[in-house]
Amino acid sequence: MRMRLYLRESDRIRKKSFRENLKLFFYFVAGGGITVEKVREREIFSNPYIIRMDKFADSLKHLSEAFLHLEDYKGTFTRDEVEEMFLRVSERVCAGCEKKNWCLGENRIHTCQMVYEILCTVEDYGAELNTEMKRKLQKKCDMAPRFLRETLEVFGDAKQKLLWNNRIVQNREGCALSMISFADMIQRAARELGAGIFTDERLEKKIRNQLKKVGIKVISMVFFMSENGKYEIHLTLKALKGQCVATREVARILSVCTGRAMYPEAGEQPIVWEEYSTIIIREGARFHTLQGVAKIGKGCEQISGDTFLMTALPGGKEGVVLSDGMGSGEEAFRESAMVVEMMEELLTAGFPMKMAIQMLNTALVMGREEVYFSTIDMCVFDLYEGSCELLKAGASTTFIRYADRVEKITSSTLPVGVIQNIEIDCVRRELKDGDFVVMVTDGVMDALPVGEQEALLGTFIQGTGSENPKEMAHHILEQVLEWTGEAPLDDMTVIVVGIWEL
């Protein structure tokens, strides 16, 4: 009875204000029999679009689980497979041998055992076997050289097939795990959107009237509140005939209407024209960043194998990605550039940072005979909170310069592109006005004496008098080059990001 009452009341809940919804929410929870999680889940699933996305994600998960339950890895050959190899060898070698009936009849068990011993010996000693095994084979087989040659050939073919099958299993598992992660992301994003979208008829009417005064017609308006309580407004609008309005003017009007500092989304169109378009206006952040870069190629070459990215991300965040490709020069540049471009696609699309790295690693490992690896050093700044998250996959030490000290953040993980299941180190730090994050590639660290690298680089960073990130980056690189006194033995890149409160 209580559940039926709740279902009837839920229609009224959606029509009331946010505060009234909250009161009814706790009223029904307090009534007993319905947990907070059940109410939250039912409220989210009341949106038909979210229901469809959730079903889509579930289908992806079921498909992925089916992939995971197919053929598993095989570390060794089965008894039937060894028997099949023995038959193939005997058909090729023993057809014209006088001892065929005896070896394959009465003495079959011992002959099979000899083949098995050869295979085991090959694993330990390679095709040359060892002296004892060769003597044993020559005593028991009149056609020992040919028998050994054919056995090794059949074994090589079977082993290659085993390796390829395991590679297929590995690739399939990688795809399945990526699909599961993608499905989780879809469900999480749908729930966040369902929980964050709200209606405010009074505010909507006020915004429409104010925009109409400056010559803008609004066809739709969506209000969204992020987890940290920040506003985001999506407007589908156009300027009236013969007019055009700056997007910044729209943001100013929304600031007045909401009582919050609102700004256009990064990269938003600057002008509202006579054709309908959708623009995003966000609540402004408390912090902003400035970046500086200094780099030099191996042996002072023009092309460096290090690639970096600095970009605005959804939710009031900014990302910095630094990648060091295997080796140096043009080939290393192509590899690291591909990694950075793929990371940009995933991050700007809204993929979680760890998931983006894991999916990228799967893409690099699958379908490649040779190993090409690249490090990933990522720092994502939350400009609302003034914090940063550092994620590392095979990357060098990162330094954070506070007002009174320098912190060193190290990692012992492997780069992307080496193995399927990669570990990613992740740390979070709170930053204050005037703090700096310094990211470097291995070439910078390796140029300094072993055992003193972090201490020396920390001294260079602490001793920099400039507050300009670009000047600081060049100063650090110059100090390292001056210390070595020779041309760079590897590509070197220094990125400095400073954060300040508005």
Side-chain angles (χ1 to χ4, degrees):
M1 180 65 183
R2 182 179 292 125
M3 180 60 74
R4 288 198 295 272
L5 172 63
Y6 168 75
L7 292 175
R8 289 197 298 270
E9 289 292 339
S10 65
D11 293 334
R12 289 172 43 214
I13 288 176
R14 287 192 290 273
K15 298 178 183 178
K16 293 180 178 291
S17 67
F18 178 76
R19 184 171 295 180
E20 290 171 333
N21 287 352
L22 206 59
K23 288 180 180 178
L24 286 170
F25 172 85
F26 284 110
Y27 168 76
F28 286 113
V29 172
I34 303 175
T35 64
V36 174
E37 290 75 12
K38 287 182 180 179
V39 175
R40 183 182 297 130
E41 183 176 345
R42 187 170 294 278
E43 283 298 302
I44 290 173
F45 277 78
S46 65
N47 188 319
Y49 299 105
I50 296 174
I51 292 173
R52 181 172 296 182
M53 294 300 292
D54 195 75
K55 288 182 178 179
F56 176 61
D58 279 338
S59 297
L60 279 178
K61 285 186 178 181
H62 294 155
L63 179 61
S64 303
E65 289 168 0
F67 282 175
L68 290 174
H69 287 90
L70 293 176
E71 183 183 2
D72 203 352
Y73 286 99
K74 288 176 61 177
T76 57
F77 294 110
T78 64
R79 186 169 183 174
D80 290 340
E81 288 171 333
V82 174
E83 178 71 19
E84 183 182 350
M85 282 189 274
F86 171 68
L87 289 174
R88 290 175 61 188
V89 172
S90 61
E91 288 174 358
R92 295 181 186 181
V93 179
C94 304
C97 182
E98 296 178 355
K99 295 183 178 179
K100 174 183 176 181
N101 294 332
W102 185 77
C103 291
L104 302 181
E106 298 178 16
N107 202 44
R108 181 181 179 85
I109 295 176
H110 295 91
T111 306
C112 289
Q113 180 66 29
M114 182 178 65
V115 172
Y116 181 77
E117 289 178 6
I118 292 173
L119 298 182
C120 292
T121 309
V122 168
E123 285 293 289
D124 295 332
Y125 294 92
E128 295 299 322
L129 300 183
N130 60 357
T131 305
E132 182 181 351
M133 188 64 219
K134 284 183 178 180
R135 289 176 180 172
K136 187 176 181 180
L137 178 61
Q138 288 172 350
K139 287 181 180 179
K140 293 186 176 182
C141 181
D142 294 343
M143 306 180 72
R146 186 181 174 191
F147 188 90
L148 177 60
R149 184 172 64 252
E150 294 291 345
T151 300
L152 293 176
E153 183 178 340
V154 169
F155 173 71
D157 292 342
K159 187 173 182 181
Q160 186 64 40
K161 183 180 178 181
L162 178 68
L163 292 174
W164 275 110
N165 286 339
N166 284 342
R167 186 66 180 270
I168 292 171
V169 172
Q170 181 187 27
N171 291 344
R172 187 178 64 240
E173 287 186 355
C175 285
L177 293 174
S178 294
M179 288 170 64
I180 290 174
S181 298
F182 184 54
D184 287 336
M185 189 203 71
I186 291 174
Q187 288 183 321
R188 183 166 57 251
R191 284 164 169 75
E192 288 176 358
L193 286 173
I197 294 175
F198 67 96
T199 58
D200 190 326
E201 294 179 2
R202 183 178 298 177
L203 177 59
E204 182 176 347
K205 185 177 181 181
K206 186 178 180 180
I207 292 173
R208 286 181 183 274
N209 291 336
Q210 293 300 317
L211 290 177
K212 188 176 181 181
K213 291 179 181 180
V214 297
I216 288 181
K217 180 181 179 181
V218 179
I219 191 174
S220 70
M221 193 179 309
V222 178
F223 298 100
F224 180 81
M225 182 180 288
S226 64
E227 291 181 351
N228 50 14
K230 303 300 180 181
Y231 272 28
E232 182 179 310
I233 304 176
H234 296 240
L235 300 163
T236 301
L237 40 65
K238 72 171 184 176
L240 298 179
K241 190 173 181 180
Q243 299 188 48
C244 63
V245 181
T247 305
R248 285 188 173 274
E249 177 63 14
V250 177
R252 185 194 67 78
I253 293 173
L254 265 60
S255 299
V256 174
C257 293
T258 60
R260 297 167 179 249
M262 307 293 290
Y263 297 91
E265 171 83 312
E268 192 58 82
Q269 63 183 56
I271 302 293
V272 178
W273 302 99
E274 295 180 21
E275 297 179 355
Y276 279 114
S277 61
T278 300
I279 64 173
I280 302 174
I281 309 295
R282 294 182 184 275
E283 186 171 347
R286 291 172 49 217
F287 294 85
H288 75 105
T289 63
L290 289 176
Q291 305 88 19
V293 182
K295 61 186 302 184
I296 188 171
K298 177 181 179 181
C300 300
E301 292 289 337
Q302 294 294 321
I303 299 178
S304 170
D306 301 339
T307 311
F308 62 90
L309 160 73
M310 301 175 184
T311 185
L313 301 177
K317 296 181 179 180
E318 285 187 1
V320 180
V321 180
L322 177 59
S323 178
D324 182 1
M326 182 177 70
S328 60
E330 188 172 348
E331 187 174 354
F333 168 75
R334 283 198 302 267
E335 192 73 15
S336 63
M338 179 184 67
V339 168
V340 167
E341 288 170 3
M342 292 174 69
M343 283 302 302
E344 181 179 17
E345 290 285 339
L346 294 170
L347 292 174
T348 53
F351 279 80
M353 295 169 285
K354 271 193 174 182
M355 184 188 298
I357 296 176
Q358 289 165 346
M359 293 183 73
L360 173 62
N361 180 68
T362 299
L364 293 176
V365 171
M366 287 175 53
R368 295 177 117 186
E369 284 301 307
E370 298 182 10
V371 175
Y372 291 98
F373 61 82
S374 295
T375 66
I376 290 183
D377 199 359
M378 185 191 309
C379 183
V380 176
F381 296 87
D382 189 321
L383 302 183
Y384 287 122
E385 298 180 359
S387 62
C388 70
E389 269 191 275
L390 298 159
L391 294 94
K392 291 180 172 293
S396 185
T397 305
T398 295
F399 300 81
I400 301 180
R401 197 189 85 169
Y402 303 103
D404 56 346
R405 62 190 176 92
V406 173
E407 181 184 7
K408 309 172 188 65
I409 298 173
T410 60
S411 170
S412 58
T413 55
L414 291 173
V416 294
V418 180
I419 59 174
Q420 183 67 57
N421 300 317
I422 187 174
E423 293 183 4
I424 303 167
D425 286 340
C426 180
V427 298
R428 187 177 184 275
R429 292 291 183 268
E430 297 292 333
L431 302 176
K432 295 181 179 179
D433 184 78
D435 289 343
F436 292 88
V437 176
V438 181
M439 304 164 68
V440 300
T441 54
D442 288 336
V444 176
M445 299 293 291
D446 294 342
L448 300 173
V450 177
E452 304 177 30
Q453 299 162 325
E454 293 179 359
L456 279 172
L457 204 52
T459 301
F460 297 156
I461 294 169
Q462 186 71 54
T464 305
S466 174
E467 296 293 312
N468 183 303
K470 185 174 182 180
E471 292 179 359
M472 187 182 297
H474 281 277
H475 173 80
I476 294 169
L477 184 59
E478 288 168 3
Q479 289 288 305
V480 173
L481 293 172
E482 185 178 337
W483 181 275
T484 61
E486 57 185 11
L489 299 178
D490 194 4
D491 302 320
M492 297 184 180
T493 301
V494 179
I495 297 179
V496 178
V497 184
I499 187 167
W500 288 272
E501 193 166 359
L502 294 172

